[in-house]
Amino acid sequence: MDSGVVSGDSTGTVNASAVWKPVSTDLRCAIQKPDLKDTMSPPVSPCRSPVLSSMRADLSVACRAFATESPTAAAVTEFSEEVGGEMYKQGGLQEKGKGVPVFVMMPLDSVTMSNTVNRKKAIDASLRALKSAGVEGVMMDVWWGLVERDQPGHYNWGGYSDLLEMAKRHGLKVQAVMSFHQCGGNVGDSVSIPLPKWVVEEVDKDQDLVYTDQWGMRNYEYISLGCDTIPVLKGRTPVQCYSDFMRAFKDKFKDLLGDTIVEIQVGMGPAGELRYPSYPEQNGTWKFPGIGAFQCYDKYMLSSLKAAAESAGKPEWGSTGPTDAGHYNNWPEDTQFFRKENGGWCSPYGEFFLSWYSQMLLDHGERILASAKSIFDATGVKISVKIAGIHWHYGSRSHAPELTAGYYNTRFRDGYLPIAQMLARHGAIFNFTCIEMRDHEQPQDALCAPEKLVKQVASATQTAHVPLAGENALPRYDEYAHEQILRAASLDVDKQMCAFTYLRMNPHLFQPDNWRQFVAFVKKMNEGKDVHRCWEQVEREAEHFVHVTQPLVQEAAVALMH
């Protein structure tokens, strides 16, 4: 829906002098900027030029210009594409082959419930701005609940066809996420996109199709992996539904695969991550840094648990999961199961249960990956899987929040190596979150250790010979977070991340200070770890490009606010 958005592209041309023509500064912008203070951002690095710190764009002029369909503004767009593009070819921001390519996540609601591009002109302006900054591409959610919403096997790719064509037109690559979960209820979810109607109908008839905790609370974000191979969805198994969806995507966009579409990220759980929905924020069920709760109490999971216990010669272990593991918002030492001394987690029963629970998750990933690999084989796209960065209580012995999520990682056991090895069998990329976080930024009484967790995951991927990619878990626009991402992206002397995806395209990103720092961050990522230069020097080199793209960036910021 394009109401209230800026005007479309101009077909006129302009020279450089027209771009820099001064505009009267008494114009006022009619749009109120929200309070954009980033409460997560610690003080910036002392390495900062006073000249750059005082550099502010004249937002009021740009806002008014774009709101009134200024022909100069449209011409700036052409200038940035033609002249700016030539600058990059001549040694500007985008230097291929040496560093870590940066992708940017698109808004969750880029496609509307009526299968059209949402805020199309804003998205177009944003893509042009990102391309001008040297960004490699974008990541977009392809929602199961939108595409196959009304009837099984009927796919409406409206909106996605337009988005992919826009990305291709601007020379951006695409990471397409096969989003088989609902949107709404997780960190950062700003919109609500349920599962397909016909799936919801089946769930209404059989509530055990979704994950369930020990108190009988159902979670409707994703179909329980306990029924992966059972034909519970109008005659098809969930894995068949996921496979048919991916095959339909391949058939529809085969001409873009390997060229514009370079990666398929296969959703495998809540928030698209390979995990159980053990820490649901919806309705205040869980709050950080609670330990979460096991999600194995639907009848399909319990049936599997019963069979596993009987196979192990311990049928008495098969009737239920741990009953002494506390509640969502407990801490490890509050519970008998997770406490450090003689906790149930390190008992024979605990080891049996946690092995079964985590293996069920690995088997789920294996089934879907095997299908994805066969579908996209020889198309030139990479396959990736997203793993959650569960860093709270990481310093405890039991690592309770990781255990409830399905990652059997404790002080005495590496839970990420089995995941990496499973991905290696299918040639998939290990995509990990919380790359931007530092240990000291997190509450130390909860023994949070994101940096140590990232190092452990990096070690596991290297052992398993699996490429590692990263994302930031929460929106950050400060250079302190950027520096941490740069540090984490350089894994060791001979290896670095294969890609980084930045969260997310929105008006905050295009604010002057944030944009300047983002452009410098992308440049540093593109240059790679062999370039050791002061942040200030990189910002100076990026300053010219910030000036060139200033009107284009303001177009994106204003349009996205509508």
Side-chain angles (χ1 to χ4, degrees), residues 98-341:
K98 293 192 297 182
V100 179
V102 176
F103 291 76
V104 176
M105 295 185 208
M106 297 188 67
L108 292 168
D109 62 347
S110 294
V111 173
T112 68
M113 294 300 288
S114 55
N115 301 94
T116 60
V117 176
N118 196 14
R119 303 184 304 273
K120 189 171 185 177
K121 296 188 178 94
I123 294 293
D124 189 73
S126 301
L127 294 179
R128 283 178 287 169
L130 293 176
K131 178 64 178 177
S132 75
V135 164
E136 180 78 5
V138 293
M139 173 180 277
M140 63 177 68
D141 287 281
V142 183
W143 294 105
W144 187 28
L146 289 181
V147 175
E148 198 181 357
R149 179 179 54 226
D150 297 321
Q151 296 181 60
H154 288 69
Y155 305 98
N156 185 340
W157 301 105
Y160 291 108
S161 296
D162 290 340
L163 274 181
L164 289 165
E165 283 301 325
M166 289 165 70
K168 179 182 179 181
R169 186 166 69 249
H170 295 307
L172 291 166
K173 306 299 184 185
V174 173
Q175 299 168 318
V177 185
M178 305 288 102
S179 295
F180 299 119
H181 60 287
Q182 80 166 20
C183 182
N186 276 301
V187 178
D189 284 354
S190 55
V191 295
S192 178
I193 302 172
L195 296 179
K197 291 177 182 177
W198 52 275
V199 173
V200 174
E201 288 173 5
E202 295 301 307
V203 171
D204 288 342
K205 289 187 280 188
D206 181 3
Q207 292 278 303
D208 283 293
L209 294 181
V210 295
Y211 290 115
T212 308
D213 64 21
Q214 72 180 89
W215 304 279
M217 186 184 301
R218 310 286 189 179
N219 185 295
Y220 299 96
E221 294 180 63
Y222 187 81
I223 297 297
S224 169
L225 62 80
C227 55
D228 266 358
T229 59
I230 305 172
V232 293
L233 298 179
K234 307 285 188 186
R236 289 186 296 169
T237 70
V239 172
Q240 284 175 331
C241 291
Y242 307 148
S243 300
D244 291 345
F245 184 92
M246 291 189 285
R247 193 173 294 107
F249 180 87
K250 183 195 79 168
D251 292 343
K252 175 66 178 178
F253 300 112
K254 58 182 179 294
D255 293 339
L256 298 177
L257 293 174
D259 182 15
T260 296
I261 303 169
V262 296
E263 181 179 322
I264 300 293
Q265 186 172 109
V266 187
M268 295 195 174
E273 297 166 335
L274 178 63
R275 65 173 175 87
Y276 294 100
S278 56
Y279 49 99
E281 283 202 310
Q282 203 162 27
N283 303 320
T285 302
W286 171 87
K287 289 185 174 63
F288 176 83
I291 58 176
F294 291 112
Q295 305 289 312
C296 59
Y297 292 87
D298 64 79
K299 68 183 182 186
Y300 302 102
M301 291 290 287
L302 287 175
S303 174
S304 171
L305 176 60
K306 183 173 184 290
E310 290 173 352
S311 177
K314 294 285 187 178
E316 65 273 20
W317 289 350
S319 60
T320 181
T323 55
D324 56 355
H327 203 274
Y328 285 97
N329 293 309
N330 283 137
W331 286 30
E333 291 305 306
D334 298 336
T335 75
Q336 176 66 38
F337 190 79
F338 292 121
R339 69 184 188 182
K340 62 183 178 183
E341 297 292 347

Side-chain angles (χ1 to χ4, degrees), residues 35 70 76 141 146 196 259 421 489:
D35 180 11
S70 160
V76 170
D141 287 281
L146 289 181
D259 182 15
Q421 290 169 333

Side-chain angles (χ1 to χ4, degrees), residues 362 415-425 428 430 457 460-461 464 466:
L362 288 169
Y416 297 100
L417 183 57
I419 297 173
Q421 290 169 333
M422 183 269 289
L423 298 182
R425 287 193 290 275
F430 192 123
V457 167
T461 58
V466 169

Side-chain angles (χ1 to χ4, degrees), residues 62-98:
C63 277
R64 179 64 179 269
F66 287 112
T68 55
E69 304 183 16
S70 160
T72 303
V76 170
T77 299
E78 292 188 14
F79 176 78
S80 67
E81 288 175 342
E82 297 169 10
V83 180
E86 189 58 35
M87 289 176 182
Y88 297 128
K89 292 175 188 174
Q90 296 173 2
L93 288 177
Q94 184 74 343
E95 293 182 21
K96 301 277 188 180
K98 293 192 297 182

